[in-house]
Amino acid sequence: VSPVLRNVGTLATCRDAGGQGEVHPVRDAALAWRDGRVAWAGPEAELPSEWADAPSLDAGGRTVVPGLVDCHTHLAFGGWRAGEFVRRIRGESYGEIARSGGGIAATVRATRAAGDDELRELCRGRLREMASLGVTTVEGKSGYGLSREEELRILRVYRDVAGAALPRLVPTFLGAHALPPDFGGDREELVAEVAGEWTPAVAEAGLARFCDAFVEEGAFTPEEGRRVLEAGAAHGLTPRLHADQLSDSGGAELAVEVGAASADHLEHVSAAGIRALADAGVVGVVLPLAGLYLGQDPAPARAMVEAGVRVAVATDFNPGTAPSAHLPLAMTLACVREGLTPAEALKGATLHAATALRLEGEVGSLEPGKSADFALVDAPDVDHWLYHHRANACLATVGRGRLLYRSPGLAGAEGWEALAAPEPGAPAAGGSP
Ligand code: NIG
Ligand code: FE
């Protein structure tokens, strides 16, 4: 099928030109795609005649945005930590709970106890939920295995859940997330093992695109983080970094030094850290759901944009600090708490998030040649969409030209259903998966 979406009230193309707030909206637009790629996007009145007889879908005057990119999630985990949520409300801190054996260590125990099938099903369900919110690309970190075998197992789960009917999944190896729960040994030895044994095993198996480290008091020091990330880079895994989340430990500067694609969190980033990110072109990723749940002061997203940093917005979805996969809510929070405009938040959850994943040539904007990934949202424009927070404003999500989600309330169901990916095992309906 090579259909045309017509009667788009606002098409926010999010192409690269201009600053963070320039999403290049087209009013009364149309969008055409073929073989999973955007073929044409622009004012409907200028749609080339070759599309005159193409099957058409009606956007009902609503808004179309590029498929959202959630560039920071801890997707694969067993168990939840509602008990810790209550303990924090009653006054214990995240660090205190971690020191008492909870936190990341609790999730490591629950994840190790979950079978492969269970983890795969959990991941698929979470990806379906994200797709229902307009998300078409998701980064997923390991980090709740914390042994060589368990980290490899989580990354294999990511490899196995990938499929045409789900958002694209980009795997990150986060072996340096915390000290393993049963850890009694020598930190130096552990870091040497992560760098010298786990990292090459992950790279040789081709199971990750990125590596990551949690540099923080109670987790890893900047020197330990550097060692792990440099080992990752030497094995072809591009670094990214949990930086300056609970304190300023020079995480942004470290991200720049190791050639990271992104520095993430940044609630406590210094002015020098912001300048370093801007000068090096490293994407700054803000995660407002985590800040909200931890009761932190918001990250200085506004100051980063003013300084020329490309700011991405993501969920940080995980069972501790961000137990929500709602990227549009994170975007609204980036507006309300961190001073981004809706347009800036949108570019942050599309093109700049794609850049954080080094996928900006493939996803993140609606331009000819890029993947046909988009969401139809029930709002007249981007400002209204992120202002009027709803359980779900998304009406339909298309990834690589295939229907990933359709709201029960969407009109013209038949046309949309024709975009559905064939069930696994069913004969192909033409076109490539
Ligand atoms: O991004 N900061 C480290 N990792 C996660 C939290 C993980 C957890 O608490 O389970 C984060 O906030
Ligand atoms: Fe995180």
Side-chain angles (χ1 to χ4, degrees):
V1 239
S2 40
V4 185
L5 181 61
R6 296 171 178 269
N7 193 21
V8 180
T10 305
L11 180 77
T13 61
C14 294
R15 63 190 162 73
D16 190 26
Q20 175 111 15
E22 290 179 46
V23 297
H24 307 285
V26 181
R27 303 289 306 183
D28 303 315
L31 175 71
W33 63 98
R34 185 185 287 129
D35 298 331
R37 301 213 164 255
V38 175
W40 193 85
E44 188 172 351
E46 295 170 22
L47 185 69
S49 57
E50 58 174 300
W51 299 99
D53 300 325
S56 74
L57 297 163
D58 184 0
R62 296 182 173 92
T63 298
V64 167
V65 298
L68 303 179
V69 177
D70 196 342
C71 67
H72 182 137
T73 88
H74 303 253
L75 189 71
F77 58 85
W80 291 93
R81 294 173 7 222
E84 294 182 7
F85 173 66
V86 178
R87 284 167 69 182
R88 286 203 306 274
I89 292 166
R90 296 213 159 114
E92 277 180 87
S93 74
Y94 182 73
E96 283 161 356
I97 291 169
R99 283 191 291 280
S100 77
I104 293 170
T107 297
V108 169
R109 287 189 289 269
T111 305
R112 288 180 182 175
D116 294 3
D117 283 344
E118 186 182 349
L119 280 180
R120 281 192 288 265
E121 265 324 296
L122 286 168
C123 287
R124 288 197 186 100
R126 291 164 188 167
L127 288 169
R128 278 193 289 270
E129 182 189 354
M130 290 170 171
S132 79
L133 295 162
V135 175
T136 53
T137 300
V138 176
E139 184 254 16
K141 302 176 195 297
S142 66
Y144 292 120
L146 300 190
S147 71
R148 197 183 77 135
E149 278 320 305
E150 286 291 323
E151 287 292 303
L152 286 166
R153 186 171 79 98
I154 291 170
L155 293 168
R156 272 187 232 110
V157 164
Y158 287 153
R159 179 196 63 197
D160 294 346
V161 298
L166 291 172
R168 166 188 300 96
L169 182 53
V170 181
T172 294
F173 169 55
L174 175 55
H177 193 194
L179 301 177
D182 39 18
F183 182 72
D186 183 314
R187 292 180 71 92
E188 172 85 35
E189 232 168 75
L190 174 75
V191 171
E193 230 183 79
V194 175
E197 292 172 35
W198 306 7
T199 300
V202 166
E204 271 154 38
L207 287 171
R209 165 78 183 83
F210 294 97
C211 60
D212 194 345
F214 183 25
V215 168
E216 190 64 59
E217 197 99 25
F220 294 90
T221 67
E223 262 328 299
E224 291 166 344
R226 179 199 310 277
R227 214 163 141 203
V228 166
L229 296 175
E230 282 176 351
H235 284 88
L237 307 178
T238 302
R240 46 198 328 104
L241 183 58
H242 281 71
D244 305 329
Q245 180 183 12
L246 306 172
S247 60
D248 173 22
S249 46
E253 292 89 334
L254 175 59
V256 169
E257 283 167 42
V258 298
S262 70
D264 302 36
H265 279 290
L266 302 170
E267 284 84 350
H268 292 271
V269 67
S270 66
I274 292 176
R275 270 196 309 280
L277 294 178
D279 291 347
V282 174
V283 176
V285 181
V286 293
L287 305 160
L289 285 164
L292 180 76
Y293 272 92
L294 293 179
Q296 289 181 289
D297 288 339
R302 176 84 256 138
M304 288 195 264
V305 168
E306 304 295 336
V309 179
R310 279 176 297 191
V311 174
V313 182
T315 60
D316 196 20
F317 176 62
N318 75 73
T321 61
S324 166
H326 206 306
L327 184 52
L329 175 58
M331 294 159 73
T332 291
L333 290 171
C335 298
V336 173
R337 298 207 350 126
E338 303 186 357
L340 298 189
T341 64
E344 288 170 336
L346 176 62
K347 206 155 181 179
T350 54
L351 188 66
H352 291 348
T355 303
L357 297 180
R358 301 262 162 105
L359 282 177
E360 70 277 14
E362 181 68 12
V363 303
S365 63
L366 290 168
E367 301 173 79
K370 280 188 137 179
S371 186
D373 294 8
F374 64 86
L376 173 64
V377 295
D378 186 15
D381 55 40
V382 172
D383 291 348
H384 187 97
W385 173 39
L386 295 185
Y387 142 77
H388 179 192
H389 174 68
R390 299 159 66 175
N392 190 7
C394 181
L395 293 170
T397 308
V398 171
R400 290 171 277 202
R402 304 280 203 185
L403 188 69
L404 303 185
Y405 167 76
R406 180 172 72 75
S407 154
L410 180 66
E414 254 170 58
W416 290 94
E417 283 308 325
L419 304 177
E423 290 297 320
S432 51

